């Protein structure tokens, strides 16, 4: 069925409480509103209505947190009830970055199974299912960035109210991420260093300046990605311990997936923050040290996310889609290549000419490899960098070493071993706080359930 009726969520002894019954009826109505908006969003790549979906999801969550708090205060009354099955489809996002045209190159330019019930939800319609789609946001259902072909359209169901909470929070976090991506034309940062720009004056293509309004959009998008990361953290801290004994046929609500999604959100947030920083703190453009360290911090986040996927693949779920794996791998290499461009300039400025050649050589090789992967969302960006400052800088640093430095060029392995530690620009997620709603019949506030 597509509607949860209030009687399925209240034990018989409480169904005569008119105030409580009306509150649960409101929650069911809000859930159906959220479900319909998720369903509508799954059929389009138009993100103009994503804010409406976020509002609907948050409205339902406010009541859901209240209901869970009420249930937790009266477990004995709910214990003997049959469970209504909450059904969700597994799919995080369909082609997350292509869906919002984030492939436009600006980088380098100027400017399942039924789970065991924990008794956490109640119902008289055991076996009735309420289908919703946590992965409906941001693209067509034909291909997904998370959950590969073996999970395509796979559904999971559980009588646990905490599973319902987890998938609803996941839908909110994904919607927040998509809303952030819809605010910007690209995640990629530009090469902005006065020395590099002066040495390669003819290699940059002019772009329109973003201006104050564009900078504010970048800031809002970065903040929203950090808010999404906070939702993922809440799922990890509060929801996952509640469903630890439940077997789900999909990987969505597993620690590794949640940590991976959090790392991706923070990495993408930092990419936008670096763009803001480079555009607003013009004094820092005189030195390549700081942007190099910031970019190294971002690529470390991508490495952490990639390692979590590898851990997952060695376990029960082995089919995380190639889309998301390629995005993390190629994104890490792209950011590392950009960091190496700055590091080459650092060593050139300090007259370590051999190191400068080595870093620009490795950046060039990484970008050349990315350019060949035509299906990668980062291929065009790599091509733009290769057509931009890379070749002139490579020729310049080689010429300086051949005529001035006469230094041995370190191997790639030696240079990787000497990479400085990255510096995080925005290191923390914005904590998710459940909405505090007034309670019925003396139950505690919703925020207490998640504290």
């Amino acid at each position: 069925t597509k509607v949860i009726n209030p009687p399925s969520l209240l034990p018989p002894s409480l169904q005569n409480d008119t105030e409580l019954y009306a509150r649960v009826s409101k929650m069911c109505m809000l859930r159906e509103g959220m479900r319909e908006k998720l369903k509508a969003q799954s059929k389009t790549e138009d993100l103009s209505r994503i804010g409406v979906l976020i509002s609907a999801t948050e409205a339902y969550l406010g009541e859901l947190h209240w209901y869970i708090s009420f249930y937790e205060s009266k477990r004995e009354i709910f214990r003997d009830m049959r469970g209504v099955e909450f059904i969700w489809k597994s799919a995080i996002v369909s082609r997350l970055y292509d869906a919002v045209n984030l492939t436009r190159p600006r980088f380098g330019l100027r400017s399942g199974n039924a789970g065991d019930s924990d008794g956490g939800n109640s119902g008289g319609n055991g076996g009735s299912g309420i289908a919703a789609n946590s992965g409906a946001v941001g693209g067509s259902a034909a291909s997904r960035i998370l959950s590969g072909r073996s999970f395509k359209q796979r559904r999971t169901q559980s009588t646990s109210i905490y599973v319902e909470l987890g998938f609803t929070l996941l839908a909110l976090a994904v919607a927040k991420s998509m809303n952030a991506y819809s605010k910007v034309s690209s995640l990629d940062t530009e090469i902005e260093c006065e020395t590099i720009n002066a040495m390669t004056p003819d290699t940059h293509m002019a772009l329109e300046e973003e201006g104050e309004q564009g900078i504010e959009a970048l800031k809002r998008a970065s903040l929203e990605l950090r808010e999404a990361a906070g939702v993922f953290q809440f799922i990890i801290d509060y929801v996952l311990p509640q469903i630890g004994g439940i077997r789900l046929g999909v990987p969505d609500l597993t620690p590794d997936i949640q940590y991976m999604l959090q790392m991706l959100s923070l990495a993408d947030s930092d990419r936008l923050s670096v763009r803001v920083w480079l555009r607003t703190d013009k004094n820092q453009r005189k030195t390549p040290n700081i942007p190099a360290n910031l970019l190294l911090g971002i690529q470390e986040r991508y490495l952490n996310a990639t390692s979590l996927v590898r851990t997952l693949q060695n376990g029960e779920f082995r089919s995380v889609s190639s889309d998301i794996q390629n995005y993390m791998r190629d994104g890490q290499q792209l950011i590392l290549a950009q960091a190496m461009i700055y590091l080459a300039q650092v060593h050139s400025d300090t007259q370590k000419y051999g190191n400068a050649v080595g870093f620009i050589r490795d950046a060039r090789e990484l970008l050349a490899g990315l350019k060949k992967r035509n299906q990668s969302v980062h291929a065009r960006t790599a091509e733009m960098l290769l057509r931009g400052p890379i070749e002139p800088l490579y020729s310049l640093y080689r010429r300086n070493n051949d005529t001035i430095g006469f230094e041995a060029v370190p191997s790639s392995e030696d240079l990787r071993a000497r990479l400085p530690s990255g510096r995080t620009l925005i290191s923390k997620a914005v904590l998710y706080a459940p909405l505090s709603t007034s309670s019925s019949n003396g139950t505690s506030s919703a925020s207490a359930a998640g504290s």
Side-chain angles (χ1 to χ4, degrees):
T1 60
K2 296 185 178 181
V3 177
I4 298 180
N5 296 314
S8 68
L9 295 175
L10 287 174
S13 61
L14 295 176
Q15 290 184 12
N16 292 328
D17 186 326
T18 56
E19 182 181 354
L20 180 61
Y21 194 90
R23 184 74 181 268
V24 174
S25 297
K26 175 185 176 182
M27 185 185 78
C28 293
M29 182 176 61
L30 290 172
R31 186 187 194 276
E32 180 62 13
M34 176 197 70
R35 193 191 69 82
E36 289 297 327
K37 289 176 177 60
L38 281 168
K39 183 179 178 181
Q41 187 63 57
S42 70
K43 298 177 180 179
T44 179
E45 295 186 358
D46 181 6
L47 299 176
S48 61
R49 301 282 294 172
I50 208 75
V52 176
L53 172 58
I54 291 174
S55 296
T57 306
E58 289 176 333
Y60 171 59
L61 275 169
E63 295 302 303
L64 182 59
H65 283 299
W66 161 79
Y67 177 82
I68 291 175
S69 178
F70 179 74
Y71 155 76
E72 289 175 341
S73 70
K74 300 182 180 296
R75 287 180 184 267
E76 290 300 322
I77 300 177
F78 283 83
R79 186 174 300 278
D80 297 330
M81 294 193 60
R82 298 173 63 192
V84 58
E85 290 184 341
F86 298 97
I87 302 175
W88 287 80
K89 292 181 181 178
S90 171
I92 300 303
V93 176
S94 172
R95 293 201 179 278
L96 184 60
Y97 303 96
D98 286 335
V100 287
N101 295 321
L102 293 184
T103 57
R104 189 170 76 178
R106 297 187 64 173
F107 191 91
L109 305 183
R110 241 178 173 163
S111 65
N113 298 326
D116 302 326
S117 173
D118 63 351
N121 66 307
S122 53
N125 298 335
S128 65
I130 313 304
N133 193 338
S134 68
V137 189
S140 66
S143 56
R144 294 131 193 260
I145 193 166
L146 181 69
S147 65
R149 288 185 177 87
S150 64
F151 293 128
K152 185 175 180 181
Q153 300 296 326
R154 178 180 289 186
R155 301 198 298 181
T156 188
Q157 60 193 54
S158 174
T159 57
S160 168
I161 194 65
Y162 297 104
V163 170
E164 166 75 358
L165 176 62
F167 275 107
T168 305
L169 287 167
L170 185 57
L172 175 64
V174 170
K176 280 183 171 289
S177 297
M178 296 309 302
N179 197 38
Y181 297 134
S182 71
K183 289 181 170 69
V184 297
S185 59
S186 172
L187 290 175
D188 295 323
T189 55
E190 298 88 350
I191 295 292
E192 278 290 357
C193 175
E194 287 189 359
T195 308
I196 292 176
N197 292 345
M199 289 191 303
T200 58
D202 299 324
T203 63
H204 299 278
M205 294 176 61
L207 287 176
E208 67 279 6
E209 290 296 324
E210 289 182 309
E212 292 185 6
Q213 187 174 3
I215 294 298
E216 288 304 312
L218 291 174
K219 290 180 179 179
R220 289 195 301 271
S222 178
L223 175 61
E224 196 147 26
L225 285 166
R226 291 168 55 211
E227 290 175 351
V231 177
F232 293 131
Q233 188 64 52
F234 184 85
I235 294 173
I236 294 166
D237 292 340
Y238 176 68
V239 177
L240 298 190
Q242 302 287 348
I243 62 174
I246 299 175
R247 291 179 59 84
L248 297 174
V250 295
D252 302 55
L253 295 182
T254 59
D256 288 334
I257 285 293
Q258 294 300 312
Y259 278 119
M260 179 197 70
L261 292 172
Q262 184 187 59
M263 286 294 103
L264 283 178
S265 296
L266 292 174
D268 288 344
S269 174
D270 281 359
R271 288 172 75 170
L272 296 176
S273 296
V274 169
R275 282 179 63 188
V276 172
W277 177 79
L278 285 171
R279 287 179 175 275
T280 57
D281 194 350
K282 296 183 179 181
N283 290 330
Q284 298 294 351
R285 294 185 185 181
K286 297 178 180 179
T287 173
N289 299 70
I290 296 179
N293 289 332
L294 292 174
L295 290 166
L296 287 172
I298 294 171
Q299 68 95 26
E300 287 172 5
R301 288 197 190 277
Y302 281 107
L303 282 176
N304 290 337
T306 302
S307 66
L308 288 168
V309 171
R310 290 172 180 166
T311 300
L312 180 71
Q313 289 180 317
N314 290 331
E316 182 179 0
F317 305 105
R318 301 172 182 268
S319 299
V320 173
S321 75
S322 58
D323 284 343
I324 196 169
Q325 294 185 61
N326 292 341
Y327 175 80
M328 291 187 293
R329 178 199 63 201
D330 295 349
Q332 181 268 332
Q333 292 185 8
L334 182 64
I335 295 297
L336 178 60
Q338 188 182 20
M340 286 181 168
I341 296 171
Y342 283 109
L343 288 172
Q345 185 59 43
V346 170
H347 286 276
S348 178
D349 291 345
T350 55
Q351 299 182 350
K352 297 178 181 178
Y353 300 110
N355 288 347
V357 173
F359 277 119
I360 201 69
R361 174 204 63 205
D362 286 0
R364 185 169 173 259
E365 291 176 356
L366 284 172
L367 294 170
L370 284 174
K371 179 184 174 182
K372 294 177 181 178
R373 292 200 277 273
N374 295 329
Q375 300 302 316
S376 173
V377 298
H378 301 289
R380 291 184 61 197
T381 300
E383 182 181 3
M384 293 299 293
L385 268 176
L386 289 168
R387 287 193 293 148
I390 297 299
E391 291 302 327
L393 288 174
Y394 182 59
S395 299
L396 176 63
Y397 296 153
R398 289 184 62 188
R399 184 167 63 251
N400 288 344
N401 193 42
D402 291 343
T403 59
I404 303 174
F406 304 106
E407 297 176 0
V409 178
S411 67
S412 298
E413 291 75 15
D414 288 341
L415 291 176
R416 295 293 180 98
R418 284 188 271 165
L419 284 175
S421 298
R423 169 183 168 185
T424 53
L425 187 66
I426 301 295
S427 59
K428 293 184 178 180
V430 176
L431 296 179
Y432 169 75
L435 295 175
S436 179
T437 58
S438 60
S439 56
S440 170
N441 291 349
T443 58
S444 58
S445 69
S447 60
S451 61

